[in-house]
Amino acid sequence: MELIMACCGGFAAAKPIDETVKGIFNEHKAEILAALHTQDAVPETYQSQVVAGTNYKIKGKADGKAFTAVIFAALPAHGGKTQLSSAKLE
């Protein structure tokens, strides 16, 4: 049996990018590329945090450098829209 520890209010453990999070990333890819001043970015892992919706902290490589982007997804009852909160090179 695997014991998984969670921190109340914190981000979950990192997971490989799945199709759902890749789709969310792709919705904001142009904004992310502009913020990073780069031509390409490839997401590799993500962490999620449940708030009044979900924060997705996405990490990957942009032109060979590590980056982190945070995207907020509102609850379906509040429209379910997503918005880029931040994107920066490490």
Side-chain angles (χ1 to χ4, degrees), residues 7-28:
C7 175
C8 186
F11 278 94
K15 300 177 188 176
I17 285 290
D18 61 27
E19 290 302 313
T20 299
V21 178
K22 187 174 183 179
I24 292 169
F25 175 86
N26 286 338
E27 286 179 34
H28 298 280

Side-chain angles (χ1 to χ4, degrees), residues 61-72:
K61 296 281 191 226
D63 292 338
K65 299 176 184 172
F67 78 86
T68 300
V70 179
I71 298 172
F72 173 73

